[in-house]
């Protein structure tokens, strides 16, 4: 079977996605530092020895606070979600992350039920750093576990010891984080089905509120892609990758984690990542940091990528914006179909053209989708073929 979709990268109603209100507004803070640059990663990240003056970890918080203050001059909405990603945000001192959050609070205001997430590597936290984050207002943490198998982690250039993950999770619980998420990657060359089962079972044993599981993608221009091109490593075929997705979904579901987006599972609606739901509904967010993207009311823009250029712009009192675009109606329609089809809440049929609507009965008859309350919702086979389904809906 040829596979696509998930294989390529507030209430208590179980697992459906609550559509954010039109006023939903979030902030993404990009922290571009990593201790080691993983070979598969094409994110805008850097190790310390790649950067020069003006782009150090010691100066980064002050630089990014400067952008927050500039952004607040033109955007005044109360913030419902804040997400610190990277890179490894916890490469910065916890006190600096709290200062950045304080700057968002002081310049925009935070909703009473604000969700504040930081990504973290298991080896980049301590009981003290986690306590500082929690006391400073962070209430959700996402650990980049990726695998529980040492040889798989080595292929991914991940440096943490998988035996230390339960300790990091225990510290986060003791610090009082409301929500804890675990990130996994499947489809690494050399990863057997037993390896993947081990990773899934150990992730479940951590009793997280949320799990993300993404298939490894070969991003051109990365060190990993060069290894693939030189045949030093061989990617698994689509059938094997599909089997790993099915295994994960089966085990997650049995453990009480229900899918709400193709690559994300949560214990209930309260455990869903509200910040990512905001993205999937094309709501509004501001991106802070080098290379960060923003989207506000149909306008999309992005910052200069290199941290040194970013710092230089802000030191001169200039916005770090590099370029942007206005999203026209047709682009917005296509993006809505691409994103909302991924959700368990599904895509409203009135988002489709008449021609695409005509394709819906065929998708249902082939077992790829169901229709419920005027929404098209992917079945499990449809989730495996999500990209193909989207192609049929975009005309």
């Amino acid at each position: 079977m040829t596979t696509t979709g998930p294989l390529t990268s507030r209430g208590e109603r179980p697992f459906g996605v609550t559509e954010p209100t039109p006023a939903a507004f979030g902030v993404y803070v990009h922290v571009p530092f990593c201790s080691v640059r993983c070979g598969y990663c094409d994110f805008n990240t850097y190790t310390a020895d790649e950067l020069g003056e003006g782009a150090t970890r010691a100066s980064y918080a002050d630089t990014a606070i400067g952008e927050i203050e500039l952004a607040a001059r033109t955007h005044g909405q109360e913030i419902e979600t804040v997400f610190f990603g990277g890179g490894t945000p916890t490469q910065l001192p916890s006190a600096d992350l709290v200062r950045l959050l304080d700057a968002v609070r002081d310049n925009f205001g935070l909703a009473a039920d604000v969700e504040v997430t930081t990504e973290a590597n298991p080896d980049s936290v301590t009981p003290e750093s986690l306590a500082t984050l929690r006391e400073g207002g962070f209430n959700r943490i996402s650990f980049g576990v990726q695998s529980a198998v040492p040889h798989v982690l080595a292929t991914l250039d991940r440096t943490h010891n998988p035996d230390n993950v339960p300790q990091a999770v225990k510290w986060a619980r003791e610090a009082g984080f409301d929500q804890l998420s675990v990130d996994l990657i499947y489809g690494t060359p050399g990863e057997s089905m037993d390896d993947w089962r081990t990773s899934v079972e150990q992730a479940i044993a951590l009793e997280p509120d949320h799990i993300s599981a993404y298939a490894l993608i070969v991003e051109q221009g990365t060190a990993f892609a060069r290894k693939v091109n030189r045949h030093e490593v061989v990617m698994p075929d689509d059938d094997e990758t599909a089997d790993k997705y099915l295994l994960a979904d089966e085990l997650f579901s049995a453990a009480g984690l229900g899918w709400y987006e193709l690559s994300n599972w949560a214990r209930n609606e309260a455990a869903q990542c509200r910040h990512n739901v905001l993205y999937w509904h094309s709501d509004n967010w501001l991106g802070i940091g080098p290379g960060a993207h923003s989207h506000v009311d149909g306008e999309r823009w992005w910052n200069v990528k290199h941290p040194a250029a970013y710092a230089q712009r802000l030191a001169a009192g200039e916005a770090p914006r590099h370029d942007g675009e206005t999203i026209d109606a047709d682009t917005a329609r296509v993006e809505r179909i691409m994103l909302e089809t991924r959700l368990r809440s599904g895509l409203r049929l009135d988002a489709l053209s008449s021609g695409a609507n005509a394709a819906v009965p065929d998708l249902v008859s082939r077992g790829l989708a169901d229709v419920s309350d005027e929404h098209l919702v992917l079945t499990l086979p449809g989730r495996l073929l999500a990209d193909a389904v989207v192609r049929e809906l975009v005309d």
Side-chain angles (χ1 to χ4, degrees):
M1 176 174 65
T2 300
T3 56
T4 54
L7 313 179
T8 58
S9 106
R10 292 182 255 216
E12 292 297 325
R13 176 171 53 85
F15 311 139
V17 174
T18 300
E19 296 192 18
T21 66
F25 208 101
V27 169
Y28 170 74
V29 181
H30 185 68
V31 179
F33 306 108
C34 285
S35 58
V36 174
R37 184 169 174 80
C38 300
Y40 66 89
C41 179
D42 74 336
F43 294 167
N44 189 37
T45 62
Y46 306 83
T47 59
D49 58 4
E50 292 178 297
L51 299 172
E53 286 298 318
T56 66
R57 279 179 286 188
S59 62
Y60 186 74
D62 288 329
T63 300
I65 287 170
E67 185 185 5
I68 292 168
E69 293 172 346
L70 275 178
R73 297 179 188 177
T74 52
H75 302 282
Q77 292 89 335
E78 184 179 68
I79 302 303
E80 298 185 22
T81 66
V82 187
F83 194 103
F84 287 71
T88 307
T90 44
Q91 282 283 306
L92 291 185
S94 292
D96 279 357
L97 296 177
V98 171
R99 285 202 300 125
L100 284 160
L101 178 58
D102 286 344
V104 175
R105 178 186 293 108
D106 294 344
N107 285 275
F108 293 92
L110 300 179
D113 64 343
V114 65
E115 174 193 89
V116 183
T117 303
T118 185
E119 295 179 334
N121 284 348
D123 59 356
S124 66
V125 297
T126 65
E128 296 76 17
S129 69
L130 291 167
T132 297
L133 290 172
R134 184 65 190 97
E135 291 165 6
F138 287 76
N139 52 28
R140 185 176 184 276
I141 189 164
S142 179
F143 282 112
V145 173
Q146 317 313 359
S147 175
V149 180
H151 79 84
V152 176
L153 290 171
T155 300
L156 293 172
D157 297 323
R158 303 292 294 188
T159 58
H160 71 268
N161 182 342
D163 293 338
N164 294 337
V165 172
Q167 183 68 74
V169 168
K170 180 174 180 288
W171 291 340
R173 292 294 192 197
E174 290 173 346
F177 280 85
D178 298 334
Q179 301 288 344
L180 188 145
S181 181
V182 169
D183 283 2
L184 298 175
I185 290 177
Y186 60 95
T188 301
E191 178 190 62
S192 67
M193 285 297 294
D194 284 343
D195 290 335
W196 176 235
R197 179 182 288 273
T198 294
S199 295
V200 170
E201 291 178 342
Q202 291 198 22
I204 291 171
L206 298 171
E207 298 185 346
D209 308 285
H210 184 281
I211 296 181
S212 299
Y214 296 99
L216 180 63
I217 301 173
V218 181
E219 300 286 2
Q220 293 307 309
T222 62
F224 188 81
R226 291 190 286 274
K227 287 183 178 181
V228 172
N229 293 338
R230 292 194 298 264
H231 306 291
E232 295 175 13
V233 295
V234 179
M235 293 295 291
D237 63 32
D238 285 345
D239 286 347
E240 179 183 335
T241 308
D243 287 341
K244 288 178 178 175
Y245 181 87
L246 294 170
L247 175 64
D249 186 68
E250 176 187 353
L251 296 178
F252 294 154
S253 298
L257 292 152
W259 81 282
Y260 69 101
E261 191 273 344
L262 291 183
S263 300
N264 290 272
W265 291 257
R267 293 210 176 273
N268 49 45
E269 244 179 273
Q272 293 170 10
C273 180
R274 285 165 48 200
H275 187 81
N276 284 343
V277 171
L278 181 149
Y279 290 154
W280 295 321
H281 283 285
S282 296
D283 284 300
N284 294 333
W285 68 89
L286 292 173
I288 303 297
H293 285 59
S294 300
H295 172 268
V296 179
D297 297 335
E299 296 288 332
R300 185 158 48 211
W301 67 94
W302 46 94
N303 289 343
V304 293
K305 288 189 67 172
H306 198 280
Y310 171 79
Q312 289 164 5
R313 293 273 189 97
L314 287 161
E318 301 173 1
R321 173 171 170 157
H322 174 67
D323 204 352
E325 61 182 345
T326 299
I327 303 169
D328 60 37
D330 188 57
T331 300
R333 179 184 66 85
V334 170
E335 291 184 356
R336 179 180 178 185
I337 293 168
M338 292 174 63
L339 294 170
E340 293 188 14
T341 301
R342 298 179 63 89
L343 299 173
R344 183 161 185 164
S345 58
L347 172 72
R348 282 190 59 88
L349 295 179
D350 60 14
L352 299 172
S353 68
S354 57
N357 250 305
V360 170
D362 182 56
L363 291 171
V364 172
S365 69
R366 286 152 55 197
L368 300 179
D370 291 322
V371 173
S372 175
D373 295 328
E374 298 301 311
H375 284 72
L376 179 142
V377 181
L378 295 178
T379 61
L380 181 55
R383 286 152 63 188
L384 295 174
L385 296 164
D387 289 351
V389 171
V390 166
R391 285 194 293 271
E392 294 190 42
L393 297 175
V394 176
D395 60 352

